[in-house]
Amino acid sequence: MRTYIKDLELKKGEEVIIKGWIDIRRDQGKLIFFDFRDMTGKVQGVVLPGSLAKETAEKTRPEWVVEVKGKVNERPEKNRQADKQNGNIELEILEVTILSQAQEVPFDMDAEINLETHFDYLPFTLRSEKTKDVFKLQATIVEEYRESLRRQNFTEFQAPAMVGGDAEGGAAVFKVEYFDHKAFLATSPQFYKQIMVGAFEKAFTVAKIFRAEKSMTTRHLSELTQMDFEMGFIKDHLDVMAVLENVIRDVVNISVEKHKDIFEKNAVPFPKVGKKFPIFTLLEAQEIIEKEFGGKAVGELDMEPEHERQICEYALREFDCDFVFITHFPTKKRAFYSYADETNPELSKSFDLIFRGLEINSGSQRIHDYNELIAKMKSRGLDEKKFSFYLQAFKYGMPPHGGCSTGLERLTMKMLNLPNVRYASAFPRDMNRIDNLLSE
């Protein structure tokens, strides 16, 4: 019966069978040392002189897949590594069975390589400890996002990836042939989560979305994962922000609790959540930026990337928090369904959440009145007939509601201070790459 590497500590003095990959092979005189890995971790093994396993072991190379029979022994005191998994045991290799051979690897697993080489060899580079750490953490982020919302009485639904129209009313969409018709890859699950408010009051989804923006910055992808929720019977956008803050706190706390080692070995400080996420209107944030950092900010219709970094620097210094909310963006710069502030209709009851200098979430209170929504569409030059399916939700009664959308890859990127959002996508798509470079 197979023993997982993480359980070898419990098998001292026993013979076991492990299965996995050869991570490293080292020949030292008459001894052959291996580091084996499986889904649970790594362990060192050694083939002693005269072992029946030696003939087969000599043939093997890194990334060969093997089944190994061995005895779990205590390491000598001088060879113990207390800070390493299985650092006090060693597997005396008795038999090696080759399950699959590997061709010569293109470079050492831990080699420093450039971005494009990393993605050219992604089926190989995904096996590195550093890369696996990113997606272990990301899996926890998604899991805790879901669990936090469930604790707050939200119901999950599955949003479609193909739609008949664009939720944002923009042009940066991918068109697809749909039998004898035209369809689009979804740029957002927005319409569907609003419809779900009519069914469940509180709904959320983790959805793949697609953006046809011709952008190659460190923060943009063509295919990404959005974690969205929508909730009914709110007073205003602050109710949505309160739920989001709860979710983010839960995500950060559980991520640090489960993956403290990942933060530490990557020399990344734990995200700071402070006592409460600071909240500034766009104008307030711009005035702070000009006062604290100089330059021109007041009057801009959105936050510039440099201003996002500066307001987060300020929030960390003054509030001991890596997160900051920015509210009240110009209504004309937000989607047609965004709710205008009654005291100043030029501004919307909308918000962004910025984390370590990058916007990771955007949300707002939504227009819930059918006639008001129709009027807003017409003012934006949108054809209401193209939105007839969506508009049924409002035609048949919708409560005051709002919601938001968090970019999974951006959140992951900033949790680990990665230099490019593509490192936070297991299989990134951008304007130059779908697995392989499109130019090749």
Side-chain angles (χ1 to χ4, degrees):
M1 181 180 292
R2 179 187 183 185
T3 298
Y4 284 106
I5 286 173
K6 72 176 178 64
D7 297 324
L8 291 177
E9 279 271 356
L10 306 175
K11 303 284 187 176
K12 291 176 185 176
E14 299 180 28
E15 288 190 4
V16 298
I17 292 174
I18 65 168
K19 299 180 183 183
W21 287 262
I22 295 173
D23 203 59
I24 297 172
R25 172 185 159 177
R26 302 179 299 278
D27 290 46
Q28 295 182 7
K30 295 182 178 181
L31 302 177
I32 305 175
F33 287 92
F34 293 92
D35 285 350
F36 299 109
R37 72 172 192 272
D38 67 11
M39 62 184 287
T40 67
K42 296 181 182 181
V43 67
Q44 179 174 286
V46 60
V47 177
L48 300 174
S51 170
L52 296 176
K54 187 173 183 182
E55 182 179 352
T56 304
E58 286 178 333
K59 301 175 185 177
T60 62
R61 296 290 182 271
E63 297 309 305
W64 286 32
V65 185
V66 293
E67 176 180 307
V68 176
K69 181 179 180 181
K71 183 181 179 183
V72 182
N73 295 327
E74 290 266 12
R75 285 196 195 189
E77 190 71 36
K78 63 179 181 179
N79 294 335
R80 294 187 181 185
Q81 297 174 287
D83 59 341
K84 187 176 181 181
Q85 182 187 27
N86 294 320
N88 66 332
I89 61 171
E90 186 174 67
L91 193 64
E92 179 186 339
I93 300 169
L94 304 176
E95 295 178 18
V96 176
T97 302
I98 297 169
L99 302 179
S100 177
Q101 297 183 20
Q103 296 183 21
E104 184 176 353
V105 296
F107 41 78
D108 289 341
M109 188 76 78
D110 297 323
E112 289 293 328
I113 55 175
N114 65 39
L115 183 79
E116 295 305 333
T117 301
H118 175 83
F119 292 120
D120 286 342
Y121 290 93
L122 194 57
F124 176 63
T125 56
L126 275 169
R127 301 180 182 189
S128 75
E129 202 66 33
K130 187 173 183 179
T131 304
K132 287 192 293 184
D133 283 347
V134 172
F135 299 108
K136 286 178 185 177
L137 176 64
Q138 189 171 87
T140 296
I141 290 172
V142 176
E143 180 182 6
E144 187 53 29
Y145 178 88
R146 286 187 161 110
E147 289 304 312
S148 179
L149 284 174
R150 288 186 183 118
R151 289 193 294 270
Q152 297 178 72
N153 299 315
F154 282 75
T155 300
E156 183 173 9
F157 76 99
Q158 307 304 312
M162 280 196 298
V163 298
D166 173 35
E168 304 296 335
V173 295
F174 291 106
K175 297 177 182 178
V176 296
E177 292 184 7
Y178 192 72
F179 301 106
D180 296 327
H181 303 276
K182 289 289 185 184
F184 305 91
L185 296 181
T187 61
S188 167
Q190 181 62 42
F191 290 173
Y192 301 96
K193 61 178 181 164
Q194 285 185 269
I195 291 169
M196 282 298 194
V197 168
F200 293 109
E201 294 188 20
K202 294 182 175 183
F204 77 93
T205 187
V206 178
K208 283 289 186 182
I209 68 159
F210 306 84
R211 299 286 172 91
E213 298 167 348
K214 292 185 176 180
S215 179
M216 279 297 293
T217 74
T218 59
R219 54 171 61 191
H220 285 97
L221 289 166
S222 298
E223 178 184 321
L224 51 147
T225 305
Q226 292 295 114
M227 304 185 294
D228 283 46
F229 71 80
E230 203 80 10
M231 54 190 290
F233 298 99
I234 65 170
K235 181 179 179 182
D236 57 26
H237 60 298
L238 295 174
D239 288 348
V240 181
M241 291 160 62
V243 170
L244 177 60
E245 182 170 337
N246 285 339
V247 172
I248 295 297
R249 285 179 177 276
D250 288 344
V251 166
V252 169
N253 290 337
I254 294 298
S255 295
V256 170
E257 179 184 317
K258 289 183 67 173
H259 303 295
K260 181 181 177 183
D261 61 319
I262 291 178
F263 288 95
E264 290 178 342
K265 67 184 170 183
N266 287 283
V268 178
F270 302 142
K272 293 189 175 182
V273 294
K275 292 183 179 179
K276 187 167 179 57
F277 292 1
I279 301 172
F280 304 112
T281 66
L282 177 61
L283 178 58
E284 288 170 343
Q286 291 170 338
E287 289 173 341
I288 290 169
I289 288 164
E290 288 193 2
K291 179 182 177 183
E292 298 290 328
F293 301 95
K296 178 72 170 68
V298 174
E300 297 290 336
L301 300 180
D302 205 342
M303 296 283 286
E304 296 293 330
E306 179 63 19
H307 296 158
E308 290 180 343
R309 289 189 288 271
Q310 289 170 340
I311 199 64
C312 282
E313 182 181 329
Y314 177 81
L316 182 59
R317 184 177 74 230
E318 298 296 324
F319 298 91
D320 197 35
C321 188
D322 279 313
F323 297 86
V324 57
F325 279 116
I326 309 297
T327 70
H328 288 83
F329 291 85
T331 306
K332 64 183 179 181
K333 294 295 290 183
R334 290 280 154 152
F336 69 85
Y337 45 77
S338 299
Y339 200 95
D341 193 313
E342 298 89 345
T343 62
N344 183 357
E346 296 296 312
L347 300 177
S348 59
K349 288 187 171 181
S350 62
F351 61 87
D352 284 353
L353 180 61
I354 306 174
F355 173 37
R356 287 179 170 167
L358 180 66
E359 176 222 316
I360 61 162
N361 178 284
S362 188
S364 72
Q365 181 177 353
R366 323 298 193 186
I367 296 172
H368 63 276
D369 180 80
Y370 175 76
N371 293 323
E372 185 180 346
L373 196 57
I374 294 291
K376 181 57 71 73
M377 285 180 166
K378 289 181 177 178
S379 74
R380 296 283 181 97
L382 298 173
D383 183 357
E384 63 188 86
K385 293 178 182 178
K386 293 182 178 179
F387 298 85
S388 60
F389 183 80
Y390 163 69
L391 288 170
Q392 287 185 64
F394 303 88
K395 186 182 289 187
Y396 304 125
M398 278 285 279
H401 66 283
C404 62
S405 180
T406 301
L408 174 62
E409 291 85 2
R410 285 192 176 191
L411 177 54
T412 306
M413 173 189 178
K414 284 301 176 180
M415 288 277 270
L416 290 176
N417 282 338
L418 302 174
N420 192 304
V421 72
R422 289 195 283 166
Y423 284 119
S425 174
F427 301 98
R429 274 81 173 101
D430 57 40
M431 63 183 292
N432 291 331
R433 179 183 294 275
I434 298 180
D435 295 338
N436 298 312
L437 283 172
L438 299 176
S439 58
E440 292 182 348

